Amino acid sequence: MARIRFENVEKKYANGFHAVKDLNLDIQDKEFLVLLGPSGCGKSTTLNMIAGLEEVSDGRLMFDDMLVNYTPPHKRDVAMVFQSYALYPHKTVYDNIAFGLQMRKAPRDEIDRRVRDAAQKLEIAHLLDRRPSQLSGGQRQRVALGRAMVREPSVFLMDEPLSNLDAALRISMRAEIKELHQAMQTTFVYVTHDQAEALTLADRIVVMRDGVVQQVGSPDDIYERPQNTFVASFLGNPPINYIDGTIEVTDSSTARFVRGDLALTLTEATARKLADCNGREVRLGIRAEDVDETAQGGEGSVIRGKVNSVLPVGSDQFLGFDFYGEELFFRVGKDLSHRLGDDVALSVDLNRLHVFDKDSGKTLIW
Amino acid sequence: MSDKTLTQPGGIDYRRRQRLARLAQTLVILAGAIVLTIYVLAPVTWLVSSSFQTEAEIVSVPPHWIPDEPTLQNFEAIFSATEEEEITYETRSGQDPASGGFIPSTAKNLLPAMWNSFLVATLVVILNLLVGVPAAYALAKIRFWGRDASVYFILITRVIPDIALVVPFFLVIKNLGMLDTIGSLVLTYLAVTVPFSVFILVQYFEGLPDELDKAARVDGCSRFQALVRVFLPLSLPSLVAVVLFTFLTSWNEFLLALMFTQTEASQTLPIVLAAFTSDFTISFSFINAAGVLAIVPPVIVAVIFERYIVSGLTAGAVKG
């Protein structure tokens, strides 16, 4: 049982680096929370603060109703899995997994039962006598998971645990981690820079940048209703396309986005939110997959351009698209073939447009 | 490729020429290695060989690398030199230096000095580990204000030559009333060796992944337990390096021992050995036998610990 609360938490290093700024976050008991962001955004620092491996410079960090700012790691009931596995090279797999329980003076038969249980679940029972150096990357990661599992901690922390694995293994381990969360019924905090991991695993995602939380929400929230251009760009493959232009408001329920020849009619709901934005410079976001090449788009929903590049990706293809000197990328089906220089017209899903303030990058519609 | 392309205009088979060149290279390296080996081993060989020779045989020309008549009387003389056997000018003049029966006036100090040396070296090794290991762990794994400055400061103390420290050391030791005690040597040797030990260990600990430290602490270790249960088992090679370095430094140290010791209560082996050369008459056989005894303990220590200097202890800790 653990609910974790950050109240105005700051982390500053001795060299002046401000890693985490005014963090307020309420992690619910048994929640799977993913901290997502580019390297240096403060996500690992945040995780380390939960573990007690980094001191909190300012603010309050609470486990349930207990202040843990000054509680050392070994007195917090947390377990952690590291990107580099961090197995003890001088110990066997068995002793690696058992170490946490031994340190907590668990009875020997209890340790043995739990270690063998975990090894069974992770399918590493036949490796218990080996040393870490005799294991493959995937096996090492399982040992690291086992080491955390047997502790049955109230908080399970993972710092990019899958980054060092190859692509196929990563996907299967992802599924196992999700099962593990369901089986363990405990709070998981997971750090990654991989959007796919975040979207598949999380109950809620926290997107961070330069030590500041950009958005907290369900994977759907984060993907469908990004609060700013950073969040919008960070998720999506290929990344969201931006077109700078102006809003033309006709009346309180009708508005258009205009850039040169392009004029997109906004939905009524969007238009209402932009009612007082007539003439405002905005940045329009269109996700790569929110276009349809085959649909007959009506006037006000079509974007035209010349094909710059064609990148087949198996299931479908990416079209590189020149638009006023900017390269836009869209994901289209494989039914139609394209050659460089072809003129194409794509019908845009107007319900899924994102409108951001051009200067601040903040959303104007969600 | 045909043989033609391998044959050079001179008519010599190119491959054979290459083989010859390789052979020549091997021979040059071998010759160099032999010269170097002789250069390094000759003095030690002569020391050991002559310790089993009589005084007459030692001074014979050409020298006998293998004794004609090996004798243990030099060693017997060392072990039978006792306090009761007072050595005066008269008793000494009755001895025959040429036969090796001659014994220096300070001979009885040899075995106590050896014990002193062993005691000092062992204490210095133990204290070095007790002080150096936690210090190095803190410097390598804990980020604190002034950390880098501390490391540099520790390093700088190694730049000062020992001779420059003799006078200040002497004053401190004198004021502490520790002149002519083993404690004075232990104290000053620590000042000389601890910085270097810390330096070796810091280098090694820094090479051990931070994640291991973090993993241990999350697994339930305090800082101290993480050091003892995770870092120490992995640091064996560097610990052995420290043990060897500090033991040998203390065992061989001469200058400070010369300054702070006066009697057999605290004199160490190098001091007593050196005194043999300033006696009325010099007995090479006795000195060489003493020299052999002096190198036995360090050789034993080196042989015991050398096998622990192995690499690859941390293999498999983190993704390489």
Side-chain angles (χ1 to χ4, degrees):
Chain A
M1 285 283 287
R3 171 184 174 202
I4 303 162
R5 269 181 301 148
F6 286 88
E7 294 174 4
N8 308 102
V9 166
E10 304 267 346
K11 176 66 198 178
K12 288 179 206 150
Y13 287 100
N15 62 9
F17 181 63
H18 203 159
V20 173
K21 296 165 194 163
D22 194 25
L23 177 63
N24 287 287
L25 190 60
D26 192 345
I27 305 172
Q28 299 300 318
D29 183 33
K30 297 179 187 159
E31 184 176 13
F32 198 128
L33 186 97
V34 172
L35 298 168
L36 178 68
S39 36
C41 72
K43 56 190 191 303
S44 287
T45 309
T46 305
L47 195 75
N48 284 335
M49 285 195 285
I50 299 177
L53 296 169
E54 298 272 9
E55 280 174 24
V56 173
S57 309
D58 203 1
R60 287 150 56 89
L61 175 59
M62 315 283 291
F63 278 19
D64 294 323
D65 291 319
M66 199 173 74
L67 182 76
V68 294
N69 281 26
Y70 308 105
T71 312
H74 62 281
K75 298 210 171 128
R76 303 181 186 198
D77 190 14
V78 299
M80 191 158 170
V81 178
F82 296 87
Q83 178 181 359
S84 59
Y85 320 136
L87 301 180
Y88 309 119
H90 58 300
K91 292 180 189 287
T92 61
V93 168
Y94 184 98
D95 288 331
N96 261 283
I97 298 177
F99 187 61
L101 295 172
Q102 287 165 351
M103 290 311 295
R104 284 175 169 73
K105 309 241 184 311
R108 191 167 287 188
D109 51 340
E110 170 78 4
I111 294 179
D112 191 64
R113 190 183 58 73
R114 286 211 223 170
V115 170
R116 291 186 192 282
D117 251 20
Q120 207 77 50
K121 275 184 203 146
L122 293 166
E123 294 165 21
I124 48 172
H126 59 296
L127 303 173
L128 287 175
D129 295 329
R130 301 224 190 138
R131 304 233 170 205
S133 58
Q134 298 166 302
L135 305 180
S136 71
Q139 290 170 334
R140 286 183 204 178
Q141 193 53 275
R142 281 165 193 273
V143 176
L145 277 176
R147 185 169 68 180
M149 264 168 72
V150 291
R151 297 255 319 276
E152 295 173 8
S154 51
V155 184
F156 209 106
L157 306 174
M158 299 193 174
D159 192 356
E160 310 214 14
L162 306 183
S163 301
N164 282 344
L165 302 179
D166 60 57
L169 198 53
R170 208 180 299 171
I171 291 172
S172 68
M173 287 297 282
R174 220 187 271 166
E176 286 186 34
I177 288 177
K178 195 148 192 175
E179 281 169 26
L180 185 66
H181 175 240
Q182 271 149 11
M184 289 185 66
Q185 287 294 308
T186 180
T187 313
F188 272 48
V189 185
Y190 188 106
V191 161
T192 183
H193 61 261
D194 182 333
Q195 46 165 316
E197 266 172 39
L199 292 170
T200 39
L201 291 172
D203 292 330
R204 277 197 305 160
I205 296 175
V206 178
V207 183
M208 295 182 76
R209 178 200 197 182
D210 296 337
V212 180
V213 171
Q214 302 293 308
Q215 188 172 351
V216 183
S218 68
D220 262 0
D221 264 346
I222 300 278
Y223 193 77
E224 305 287 350
R225 290 172 286 280
Q227 292 298 310
N228 58 41
T229 48
F230 177 80
V231 176
S233 312
F234 200 77
L235 291 109
N237 182 30
I240 193 167
N241 297 291
Y242 291 117
I243 303 169
D244 289 344
T246 352
I247 295 294
E248 284 180 3
V249 178
T250 325
D251 59 55
S252 66
S253 61
T254 331
R256 296 195 310 163
F257 169 85
V258 182
R259 167 74 184 271
D261 296 340
L262 174 72
L264 294 175
T265 309
L266 303 174
T267 59
E268 196 182 323
T270 308
R272 282 187 197 288
K273 287 188 180 127
L274 298 173
D276 54 355
C277 291
N278 193 21
R280 185 162 176 176
E281 298 264 308
V282 298
R283 179 160 286 180
L284 184 76
I286 310 173
R287 288 230 180 259
E289 67 276 17
D290 291 342
V291 293
D292 192 343
E293 195 182 9
T294 49
Q296 201 60 45
E299 206 43 48
S301 71
V302 176
I303 181 167
R304 293 169 207 284
K306 254 188 211 325
V307 173
N308 244 357
S309 54
V310 181
L311 308 171
V313 286
S315 54
D316 31 34
Q317 54 186 337
F318 297 162
L319 281 191
F321 196 112
D322 184 58
F323 186 84
Y324 289 102
E326 276 176 63
E327 182 94 343
L328 307 181
F329 274 99
F330 291 106
R331 183 193 282 260
V332 296
K334 288 205 298 189
D335 308 339
L336 297 176
S337 66
H338 294 280
R339 275 183 305 188
L340 299 187
D342 281 359
D343 282 315
V344 287
L346 301 177
S347 164
V348 177
D349 186 345
L350 297 173
N351 288 308
R352 301 173 69 91
L353 290 180
H354 304 271
V355 185
F356 303 99
D357 181 69
K358 196 180 163 195
D359 299 320
S360 68
K362 287 198 174 126
T363 183
L364 297 171
I365 55 172
W366 306 120
Chain B
M1 209 182 279
S2 78
D3 270 0
K4 265 187 183 164
T5 57
L6 293 169
T7 309
Q8 297 298 302
I12 303 172
D13 184 359
Y14 177 64
R15 270 187 293 190
R16 185 183 294 171
R17 223 165 60 172
Q18 230 182 8
R19 257 207 305 273
L20 279 174
R22 253 205 304 273
L23 188 68
Q25 196 186 10
T26 311
L27 285 176
V28 169
I29 291 174
L30 194 66
I34 289 170
V35 170
L36 195 70
T37 309
I38 291 173
Y39 178 76
V40 172
L41 287 185
V44 185
T45 313
W46 178 245
L47 179 74
V48 175
S49 166
S50 61
S51 71
F52 293 105
Q53 297 177 18
T54 59
E55 194 73 12
E57 196 174 359
I58 288 175
V59 295
S60 65
V61 181
H64 297 173
W65 283 92
I66 298 166
D68 278 346
E69 292 167 31
T71 170
L72 287 173
Q73 64 180 20
N74 302 317
F75 294 99
E76 280 164 16
I78 288 174
F79 288 108
S80 59
T82 54
E83 200 108 22
E84 296 84 54
E85 192 180 336
E86 199 185 334
I87 297 167
T88 62
Y89 183 76
E90 284 70 32
T91 56
R92 204 168 31 242
S93 60
Q95 296 169 338
D96 174 17
S99 70
F102 173 78
I103 294 171
S105 57
T106 48
K108 64 175 168 43
N109 290 350
L110 190 66
L111 291 179
M114 225 165 144
W115 173 244
N116 284 345
S117 277
F118 184 76
L119 209 59
V120 169
T122 308
L123 280 172
V124 169
V125 167
I126 292 170
L127 291 171
N128 251 286
L129 291 176
L130 284 180
V131 175
V133 168
Y137 171 76
L139 288 168
K141 293 296 170 202
I142 303 176
R143 305 278 157 232
F144 56 90
W145 192 85
R147 172 185 166 277
D148 288 347
S150 313
V151 175
Y152 287 126
F153 182 75
I154 287 171
L155 260 184
I156 283 170
T157 60
R158 280 307 306 140
V159 181
I160 306 169
D162 291 352
I163 189 87
L165 296 171
V166 164
V167 174
F169 272 164
F170 187 85
L171 291 175
V172 170
I173 295 299
K174 185 169 168 280
N175 287 333
L176 288 174
M178 291 175 76
L179 278 178
D180 201 23
T181 63
I182 282 178
S184 69
L185 298 182
V186 173
L187 202 63
T188 48
Y189 291 179
L190 280 177
V192 175
T193 52
V194 163
F196 193 66
S197 303
V198 170
F199 180 64
I200 294 178
L201 292 169
V202 166
Q203 296 293 310
Y204 199 85
F205 286 172
E206 277 184 345
L208 295 175
D210 283 352
E211 279 86 358
L212 277 183
D213 184 45
K214 291 180 177 177
R217 287 164 59 213
V218 171
D219 262 348
C221 292
S222 62
R223 286 271 190 194
F224 184 71
Q225 285 171 319
L227 169 62
V228 173
R229 305 202 52 159
V230 175
F231 277 74
L232 284 192
L234 295 176
S235 319
L236 214 53
S238 63
L239 295 179
V240 168
V242 166
V243 168
L244 285 179
F245 162 75
T246 47
F247 188 90
L248 297 182
T249 305
S250 310
W251 186 267
N252 295 329
E253 207 286 330
F254 182 74
L255 182 67
L256 297 172
L258 187 67
M259 295 294 157
F260 304 144
T261 63
Q262 282 139 20
T263 67
E264 65 269 27
S266 64
Q267 275 181 334
T268 53
L269 202 55
I271 305 304
V272 172
L273 279 183
F276 292 162
T277 62
S278 52
D279 214 340
F280 294 96
T281 315
I282 295 172
S283 164
F284 292 118
S285 52
F286 189 88
I287 291 176
N288 288 344
V292 168
L293 286 186
I295 62 173
V296 167
V299 166
I300 290 175
V301 170
V303 167
I304 291 174
F305 287 103
E306 180 266 346
R307 61 201 165 107
Y308 294 109
I309 303 188
V310 285
S311 56
L313 276 184
T314 56
V318 297
K319 176 95 177 173

